[in-house]
Each structure stands twice: as structure tokens, then as C-alpha cells.
Amino acid sequence: QVQLVESGGGLVQAGGSLRLSCAASGSISIRINTMGWYRQAPEKQRELVAVFTSGGTTNYADSVKGRFTIFRDNAKNMMYLQMDMLKPEDTAVYYCNVVRRSYSGSLEYYWGKGTLVTVSS
């Protein structure tokens, strides 16, 4: 039903910026529980980076507060992660995630395939 495709990753110097994009099929405004960005560094567990909660507020990992901003454009079915003041420890594969609630009440989980961000010292 829902397909997510990330883009915008690449190589950047520490202190630089990148903007990640997530393109979603259909409308991302219908029955959305949460939507956000996760990342997974080599040999590390996948972790939450930033998310829109079910109440429409935003939560950020402490490690990215003040540097990353999550936003979306529902008309274009797009979600973005603006990353500023990047650090080498931000190096990871970044994943777009959407959790949608079905009419029966169950939750549906959708993931993109990821985009690699590499931050050099």
C-alpha cells in the first residue's frame, strides 16, 4: 500500500549540512500514527532520530537536538530531515518510517530502504 523512498544521502564534511527526503506513495496524511526518521550506524542498533508523534508534535533524539529538523509537505507526499552541523558520529544509514493505523485498529509499519550519510572529520 505504502512505499517509501529515501534520497539525499551522501558524503559531507563535519559541520556541513544535508537534507534527506522521503517520498511516499499515496497520502501520508491519512490515518498516520507516527512518521519519522531512524538511523543505523555500523554494528549498532537502529535508533530513532526524529519523529512526528500521533499528536502531531515532534520528538528528537538528544544527540541531534538543535541540529536536525524534521518537516513534511503533505501536498507533495514528502517528508524531510534537515541535518545541520553534522558530526562524524552522525554517519549511518538513514531510514524513513511511517506507522499507519488501519480501519480495524491495527498498526501498519512501513520502511524505506535507507540512504547512506557519511560525515568525514
Side-chain angles (χ1 to χ4, degrees), residues 27-61:
S27 175
I28 59 173
S29 65
I30 299 176
R31 305 193 312 279
I32 297 298
N33 186 257
T34 63
M35 56 192 306
W37 292 90
Y38 290 72
R39 68 186 182 187
Q40 187 167 17
E43 301 182 335
K44 298 292 182 63
Q45 295 292 107
R46 187 173 298 187
E47 64 177 354
L48 175 70
V49 177
V51 64
F52 287 102
T53 70
S54 59
T57 61
T58 55
N59 288 332
Y60 294 89

Side-chain angles (χ1 to χ4, degrees), residues 76-108:
K76 297 181 178 180
N77 290 339
M78 297 289 291
M79 182 175 65
Y80 306 90
L81 182 68
Q82 178 66 41
M83 305 185 294
D84 299 316
M85 297 176 285
L86 283 161
K87 303 175 180 179
E89 50 263 47
D90 295 318
T91 296
V93 177
Y94 285 71
Y95 298 90
C96 179
N97 169 257
V98 170
V99 181
R100 190 171 70 172
R101 188 173 296 279
S102 70
Y103 288 113
S104 66
S106 62
L107 296 177
E108 303 168 347

Side-chain angles (χ1 to χ4, degrees), residues 39 49-50 60-69 90 94:
R39 68 186 182 187
V49 177
Y60 294 89
D62 287 341
S63 60
V64 307
K65 286 182 179 177
R67 300 188 298 119
F68 291 11
T69 304
D90 295 318
Y94 285 71

